[in-house]
């Protein structure tokens, strides 16, 4: 059983041993409600799953959530769900399952860790014993596979590559540190830097609703401009790629990962992001044991959250749960 909690949707599915999903369901993440209002949407997802004839076959439950998370306490404080601060989501979900006759072991994973578990199980990191997987989007997160095992760390935050500092005299990061990868390479940071350098988005096609043309000032707009050869846009992605390359090389040097898998909205820009990462990686990954380090796109896309929640449950919970 898999539950994926994010800022825009709360989804659920029953996931088979081969990764196929049945009984998939989702609700929009409620806005303008209190903590119980958000939990009500989770409860509706669980109720939907309980209507499946396969409900009684579930043996474990994985919960993937936007962070910060504290898996040692089973709590979440998602940046994009303001109503939840230190919310005991793991215990609450377990109680909902039990109320419907499914007293299952449950595990909580941050979304970066869940994506890592998914990509190692069925995606681009499959077959690699040591891998770094990353989400480059509004923020930058990630997770680690070490010796074929998911390595979430004591509180579930190991592999949070977005807050490795790659510029010791860089600008302050929202986390309180300075020069973090996220402050340079997130979609938000790419777009902000480009605008600060004087880039302005080109007018797009007519919106078709009478409002005239649109201008995309997001990282996607910067990517489009870079593809068209805009020098500031290209520089913004080169800067982001260099920050990511430095962090990927540092991680590989520390724990000997041999692949970095990158997903998330910014990764959808393709070679606009991956080409500068690979170019700069050659300057940072110089020791013999990291020279063959690969950087590849994630392959599971929007399915990574649910598949990752299930994969995390499989990797982190006992193989044969006691009745």
């Amino acid at each position: 059983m898999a539950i994926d909690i994010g800022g825009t949707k709360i989804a659920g599915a029953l996931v088979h041993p081969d990764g196929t999903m049945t009984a998939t369901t989702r609700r929009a993440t409620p806005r303008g409600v209190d903590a119980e209002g958000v939990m009500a949407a989770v409860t509706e997802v669980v109720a939907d799953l309980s209507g499946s004839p396969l409900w009684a076959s579930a043996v474990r439950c994985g919960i993937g959530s936007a962070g910060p998370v504290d898996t040692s306490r089973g709590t979440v404080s998602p940046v994009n769900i303001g109503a939840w601060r230190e919310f005991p989501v793991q215990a609450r979900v377990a109680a909902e399952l039990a109320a419907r006759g499914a007293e299952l072991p449950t595990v909580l994973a941050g979304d970066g860790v869940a994506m890592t578990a998914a990509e190692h199980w069925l995606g681009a990191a499959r077959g690699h014993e040591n891998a770094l997987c990353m989400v480059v989007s509004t923020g930058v997160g990630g997770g680690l596979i070490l010796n074929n095992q998911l390595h979430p760390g004591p509180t579930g935050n190991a592999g949070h590559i977005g807050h490795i500092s790659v510029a010791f005299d860089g600008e302050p990061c929202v986390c309180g540190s300075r020069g973090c990868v996220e402050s340079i390479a997130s979609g938000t940071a790419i777009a902000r830097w480009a605008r600060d350098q004087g880039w302005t988005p080109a007018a797009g096609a007519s919106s078709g609703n009478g409002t005239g043309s649109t201008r995309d000032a997001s990282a996607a707009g910067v990517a489009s401009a870079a593809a068209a050869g805009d020098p500031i846009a290209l520089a913004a992605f080169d800067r982001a790629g260099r920050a990511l390359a430095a962090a990927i090389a540092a991680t590989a040097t520390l724990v000997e990962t041999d692949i970095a898998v990158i997903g998330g909205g910014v990764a959808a820009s393709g070679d606009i992001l991956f080409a500068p990462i690979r170019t700069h990686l050659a300057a940072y990954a110089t020791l013999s044991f990291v020279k063959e380090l690969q950087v590849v796109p994630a392959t599971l896309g929007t399915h990574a959250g649910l598949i990752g929640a299930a994969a995390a449950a499989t990797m982190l919970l006992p193989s044969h749960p006691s009745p």
Side-chain angles (χ1 to χ4, degrees), residues 13 22 33 47 51 75 81 90 93 95 127-128 144 147 155 177 200 215 313:
T22 55
V33 298
T75 61
I81 304 178
Q90 185 174 341
V93 168
H128 290 265
L144 289 167
N147 298 322
T155 66
S177 185
T200 55
R215 294 177 183 269

Side-chain angles (χ1 to χ4, degrees), residues 255-275:
V255 294
E256 288 201 64
T257 52
D258 61 7
I259 190 170
V261 176
I262 305 178
V266 177
S269 59
D271 279 347
I272 296 296
L273 178 68
F274 283 90

Side-chain angles (χ1 to χ4, degrees), residues 67-177:
V69 303
D70 184 344
T71 58
S72 68
R73 299 170 58 222
T75 61
V76 297
S77 303
V79 171
N80 48 11
I81 304 178
W84 276 6
R85 289 295 172 264
E86 298 186 7
F87 187 78
V89 67
Q90 185 174 341
R92 292 294 300 275
V93 168
E96 292 295 335
L97 300 180
R100 291 169 174 79
E103 294 194 27
L104 303 180
T106 63
V107 70
L108 172 65
D111 50 7
V113 171
M115 175 265 193
T116 299
E119 291 291 335
H120 182 255
W121 181 23
L122 297 172
R126 189 172 186 174
H128 290 265
E129 293 187 3
N130 300 285
L132 166 69
C133 297
M134 305 171 61
V135 179
V136 183
S137 186
T138 307
V140 178
L144 289 167
I145 297 289
L146 300 178
N147 298 322
N148 252 350
Q149 299 294 316
L150 190 62
H151 182 74
T155 66
N157 292 288
H160 201 339
I161 193 169
H163 295 289
I164 288 177
S165 178
V166 291
F168 69 86
D169 58 352
E171 64 185 72
C173 178
V174 292
C175 75
S177 185

Side-chain angles (χ1 to χ4, degrees), residues 210-301:
T211 59
S213 61
T214 58
R215 294 177 183 269
D216 186 355
S218 71
V222 180
S224 295
D230 183 284
I232 295 176
L234 285 165
F237 271 89
D238 185 75
R239 180 174 179 264
R242 185 179 182 187
L244 290 166
I248 290 166
T251 302
T253 303
L254 186 66
V255 294
E256 288 201 64
T257 52
D258 61 7
I259 190 170
V261 176
I262 305 178
V266 177
S269 59
D271 279 347
I272 296 296
L273 178 68
F274 283 90
I277 292 174
R278 290 168 179 147
T279 296
H280 288 294
L281 193 64
Y284 290 108
T286 57
L287 292 168
S288 60
F289 61 93
V290 292
K291 278 189 172 181
E292 302 303 315
L293 179 61
Q294 301 176 56
V295 179
V296 301
T299 60
L300 296 177

